[in-house]
Amino acid sequence: AQSVAQPEDQVNVAEGNPLTVKCTYSVSGNPYLFWYVQYPNRGLQFLLKYITGDNLVKGSYGFEAEFNKSQTSFHLKKPSALVSDSALYFCAVRDAGTDKLIFGTGTRLQVFP
Amino acid sequence: NAGVTQTPKFRVLKTGQSMTLLCAQDMNHEYMYWYRQDPGMGLRLIHYSVGEGTTAKGEVPDGYNVSRLKKQNFLLGLESAAPSQTSVYFCASSYPGAVTEAFFGQGTRLTVV
């Protein structure tokens, strides 16, 4: 079965510093990977996705993600964190066989001024 | 653009009561999903639908039923609510295919006492 794991419950980073939110995946076949963000009391918003091609994917709000097939990882990154980036981040994988969209447990990002 | 709309936004039920959550989307999406979000567990898929008149079980379907009589609507029913069903429920929709991202509603906060 397809799955994703987010090993960190929380990531703390100072404003202006680079940030990384980790995600590893387990799939049979081609991986279709997504990152979403959830602000307090809101639904999830799509950030970016990896389908095929370039291993560095650029998305909304200055975020990017690096796909690494050998390490089965899809880490979310941003060169310079903002306080407004503080939110809950979810990694997800699409099961190409059933079309289910399976989410990780989420990582809370706290950016301190 | 309304996108994905969930009704109601908040609800308190007594144990044993029944209720229906309504999800409506105006993007002509084929696929629709119901998730529940619980602390530390991320989003878990309850049921999903890949087209009008079709439904399928997700990871945690017990205690829930769904119907997709119209393409734009996806209903989630609780026949006999239990405290374990206290959660935040999210509906999402997407175009067909593994490469498409999902769009989420704002969520329904349900408390069962």
Side-chain angles (χ1 to χ4, degrees):
Chain A
Q2 324 283 48
S3 66
V4 289
Q6 295 182 244
E8 301 157 317
D9 291 336
Q10 181 155 328
V11 170
N12 299 317
V13 64
E15 189 174 32
N17 282 2
L19 69 88
T20 298
V21 182
K22 295 180 180 178
C23 173
T24 59
Y25 65 89
S26 174
V27 303
S28 54
N30 294 324
Y32 302 105
L33 299 161
F34 303 80
W35 275 104
Y36 287 81
V37 60
Q38 183 182 32
Y39 298 102
N41 300 313
R42 302 293 297 275
L44 276 71
Q45 297 176 33
F46 168 74
L47 278 178
L48 49 81
K49 64 183 176 183
Y50 173 81
I51 305 303
T52 187
D54 196 346
N55 288 343
L56 187 64
V57 179
K58 294 191 182 297
S60 306
Y61 313 121
F63 283 93
E64 56 191 25
E66 186 172 11
F67 173 74
N68 187 317
K69 188 173 183 178
S70 63
Q71 297 186 3
T72 61
S73 66
F74 187 54
H75 299 333
L76 182 70
K77 301 180 182 226
K78 189 174 183 181
S80 178
L82 299 172
V83 172
S84 58
D85 292 331
S86 299
L88 190 55
Y89 290 81
F90 289 96
C91 182
V93 63
R94 179 81 82 164
D95 184 324
T98 65
D99 288 315
K100 294 179 184 179
L101 186 58
I102 306 299
F103 285 83
T105 52
T107 298
R108 186 165 301 281
L109 174 66
Q110 291 276 15
V111 181
F112 297 95
Chain B
N1 254 354
V4 180
T5 303
Q6 292 182 231
T7 309
K9 291 185 170 46
F10 303 93
R11 184 73 186 267
V12 178
L13 282 181
K14 293 183 179 179
T15 298
Q17 286 185 320
S18 64
M19 78 163 294
T20 299
L21 281 67
L22 171 63
C23 177
Q25 53 94 5
D26 62 1
M27 296 173 282
N28 203 34
H29 286 164
E30 289 290 336
Y31 292 3
M32 296 187 75
Y33 310 82
W34 275 108
Y35 292 89
R36 59 177 290 173
Q37 183 179 20
D38 302 291
M41 306 195 74
L43 273 76
R44 292 181 292 170
L45 183 63
I46 305 172
H47 287 281
Y48 66 108
S49 168
V50 297
E52 182 179 315
T54 71
T55 62
K57 294 181 180 180
E59 303 169 271
V60 289
D62 294 343
Y64 305 94
N65 56 76
V66 288
S67 65
R68 183 100 182 267
L69 299 180
K70 293 183 178 181
K71 185 177 183 178
Q72 63 268 33
N73 295 338
F74 195 29
L75 279 62
L76 178 70
L78 287 73
E79 290 186 347
S80 180
S84 60
Q85 294 178 303
T86 293
S87 187
V88 181
Y89 292 85
F90 286 99
C91 176
S93 68
S94 75
Y95 289 113
V99 303
T100 61
E101 64 269 25
F103 295 81
F104 280 79
Q106 298 283 63
T108 295
R109 185 173 296 274
L110 175 66
T111 302
V112 183
V113 297

